[in-house]
């Protein structure tokens, strides 16, 4: 115990050393003059700044080694401000280290624990009240209270059911399948490669089988953007290139970040931009993300043409469209 007290009263710090300025009036005076000198140098820097701002012509130049021909006005402004701030800082530090009080101060703390008599009082009061309420005697009430409190805790869990059924696999599939024609949206017309000029963009939806209705939620998953580039502009793997047709490439229009419609195409840069959080996708690189929060490219739909020359899907998307968390929906 006595060792513990000793360790707390002396936690191992080296013995306090007094500064020369604490014990020698000459050193103290010298330090005071040094601090004043730094502040005067700072003031001179500020005056240089003000003088050059008002009197040095903007068009004057001076030759400075390393920098070469340099604008005098800007050079003096920069140097003046730099000296001004630098010497204020040096002066303040020197002042604090040499002249400001250097006493070690102990911050008194009260003990967090309550005194023993207060703790005893508290325990006695709780026992007394519990006895008065008859908790010890009324075991029936004690048990039924436990049951009631336990069930109350379960109630919020039941409400989780209101979040609806899990989406299972339905978010992973769209109406795109092998041989499904691409229809213009709006217009619902099948589209040929020649309908799209280089640089053009079109939104398309899949042609649905008889009896299948187009719903808002199916459009939300099926919408696809067609973009036509020159074939030599692509920077794609051989496989991805085989998913394009004569420079036409198709991507899901649903942003892979949080599902907004990727609606802006910059023809010059060939970037697709999502307006919600500015994810930017590079079309020639299979919609690779080059900026923004999205973590994966827009899914690419493999396309080709049917025997009549209309654009069709080669196969379904090979990954879920939309936000990345859909992948974990099952
Ligand atoms: S939803 Fe597209 S960037 Fe966020």
């Amino acid at each position: 115990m006595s060792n513990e007290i000793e360790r707390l009263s002396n936690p191992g710090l080296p013995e306090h050393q007094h500064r020369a300025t604490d014990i020698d009036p000459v050193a103290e005076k010298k330090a005071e003059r040094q601090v004043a000198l730094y502040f005067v140098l700072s003031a001179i820097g500020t005056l240089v700044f003000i003088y050059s701002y008002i009197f040095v012509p903007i068009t004057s130049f001076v030759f400075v080694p390393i920098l070469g021909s340099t604008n005098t006005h800007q050079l003096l402004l920069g140097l003046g401000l730099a000296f001004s701030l630098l010497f204020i800082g040096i002066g303040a530090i020197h002042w604090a280290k040499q002249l400001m009080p250097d006493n070690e101060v102990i911050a008194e703390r009260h003990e967090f624990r309550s005194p023993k008599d207060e703790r005893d009082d508290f325990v006695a009061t709780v026992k007394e009240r519990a006895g008065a309420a008859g908790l010890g005697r009324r075991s029936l009430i004690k048990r039924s209270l436990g049951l009631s409190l336990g069930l109350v805790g379960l109630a919020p869990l039941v409400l989780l059911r209101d979040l609806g059924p899990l989406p299972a696999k339905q978010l992973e599939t769209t109406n795109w399948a092998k041989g499904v024609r691409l229809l213009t949206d709006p217009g619902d017309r099948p589209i040929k490669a020649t309908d799209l000029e280089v640089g053009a963009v079109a939104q398309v939806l899949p042609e649905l089988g008889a009896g299948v209705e187009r719903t808002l939620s199916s459009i939300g998953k099926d919408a696809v953007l067609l973009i036509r580039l020159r074939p030599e502009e692509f920077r794609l793997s051989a496989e991805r290139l085989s998913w394009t047709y004569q420079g036409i490439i198709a991507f899901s229009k649903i942003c892979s970040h949080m599902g907004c419609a990727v609606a802006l195409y910059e023809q010059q840069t060939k970037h697709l931009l999502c307006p919600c959080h500015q994810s930017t996708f590079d079309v020639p690189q299979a919609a690779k993300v080059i900026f923004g929060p999205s973590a994966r490219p827009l899914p690419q739909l493999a396309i080709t043409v049917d025997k009549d020359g209309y654009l069709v899907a080669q196969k379904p998307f090979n990954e879920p469209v939309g936000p990345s968390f859909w992948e974990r929906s099952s």
Side-chain angles (χ1 to χ4, degrees):
M1 186 65 183
S2 65
N3 280 350
E4 182 68 5
I5 291 171
E6 199 176 307
R7 190 181 67 74
L8 291 175
S9 58
N10 178 12
L13 294 175
E15 200 181 326
H16 181 66
Q17 301 287 337
H18 289 291
R19 304 167 303 190
T21 48
D22 292 332
I23 48 181
D24 180 0
V26 177
E28 184 187 359
K29 210 67 200 158
K30 187 175 161 198
E32 194 177 331
R33 282 197 298 272
Q34 286 169 339
V35 171
L37 177 66
Y38 291 134
F39 289 154
V40 169
L41 287 174
S42 162
I44 292 173
T46 307
L47 289 177
V48 169
F49 178 86
I50 295 171
Y51 174 84
S52 39
Y53 185 81
I54 298 172
F55 296 110
V56 178
I58 283 178
T59 50
S60 64
F61 282 82
V62 64
F63 180 81
V64 180
I66 303 176
L67 296 178
S69 177
T70 308
N71 185 298
T72 319
H73 177 80
Q74 292 177 354
L75 181 68
L76 290 179
L77 279 183
L79 286 178
L81 191 61
F83 273 80
S84 164
L85 298 177
L86 176 71
F87 283 113
I88 282 187
I90 293 178
I93 291 171
H94 199 55
W95 183 12
K97 294 191 92 159
Q98 297 299 326
L99 297 171
M100 285 192 182
D102 184 35
N103 308 328
E104 286 183 353
V105 179
I106 296 170
E108 299 289 349
R109 290 190 189 165
H110 66 85
E111 204 184 344
F112 289 119
R113 200 174 187 213
S114 304
K116 184 170 180 333
D117 51 343
E118 277 182 29
R119 282 182 275 134
D120 291 347
D121 271 358
F122 176 76
V123 173
T125 306
V126 169
K127 282 186 176 161
E128 185 192 322
R129 299 289 172 226
L135 271 187
R137 282 176 287 124
R138 302 187 203 286
S139 61
L140 181 63
I141 291 185
K142 234 180 5 185
R143 287 197 200 109
S144 55
L145 178 64
L147 177 73
S148 134
L149 291 179
L151 286 182
V152 157
L154 285 181
L157 296 181
V158 177
L159 297 181
L160 289 177
R161 193 166 174 271
D162 284 353
L163 294 176
L166 288 174
K169 296 275 183 195
Q170 58 174 306
L171 298 178
E172 297 183 11
T173 55
T174 65
N175 286 308
W176 292 105
K178 184 175 177 187
V180 170
R181 281 184 175 175
L182 283 58
L183 302 186
T184 57
D185 177 39
D188 267 352
R189 280 177 290 101
I191 185 169
K192 289 189 170 174
T194 48
D195 295 337
L196 220 56
E197 294 175 357
V198 171
V201 188
Q203 176 172 315
V204 292
L205 292 170
E207 186 174 40
L208 300 181
V212 182
E213 264 190 45
R214 204 179 294 293
T215 61
L216 271 182
S217 99
S218 75
I219 294 174
K221 291 191 294 174
D222 293 341
V224 159
L225 281 178
L226 285 187
I227 300 164
R228 185 161 196 174
L229 306 182
R230 289 187 191 80
E232 63 274 15
E233 289 175 319
F234 286 125
R235 280 173 283 150
L236 300 175
S237 64
E239 186 195 13
R240 288 306 185 101
L241 197 58
S242 72
W243 292 7
T244 67
Y245 183 78
Q246 292 185 354
I248 301 176
I249 190 163
F251 298 111
S252 165
K253 193 181 175 181
I254 316 305
C255 183
S256 48
H257 177 226
M258 293 185 77
C260 287
V262 178
L264 304 172
Y265 177 59
E266 295 175 342
Q267 204 182 46
Q268 299 298 319
T269 56
K270 300 176 185 56
H271 292 164
L272 274 170
L273 185 77
C274 176
C276 287
H277 313 100
Q278 282 71 53
S279 283
T280 308
F281 305 90
D282 189 40
V283 172
Q285 295 189 77
K288 178 180 169 191
V289 183
I290 55 170
F291 180 78
S294 190
R296 63 185 186 118
L298 298 173
Q300 184 184 347
L301 181 69
I303 55 170
T304 182
V305 287
D306 62 13
K307 60 180 178 13
D308 300 320
Y310 289 109
L311 290 169
V312 294
Q314 286 187 33
K315 55 185 176 180
F317 279 108
N318 71 337
E319 58 182 316
V321 300
S324 298
F325 59 79
W326 286 19
E327 289 176 75
R328 298 189 288 273
S329 61
S330 55

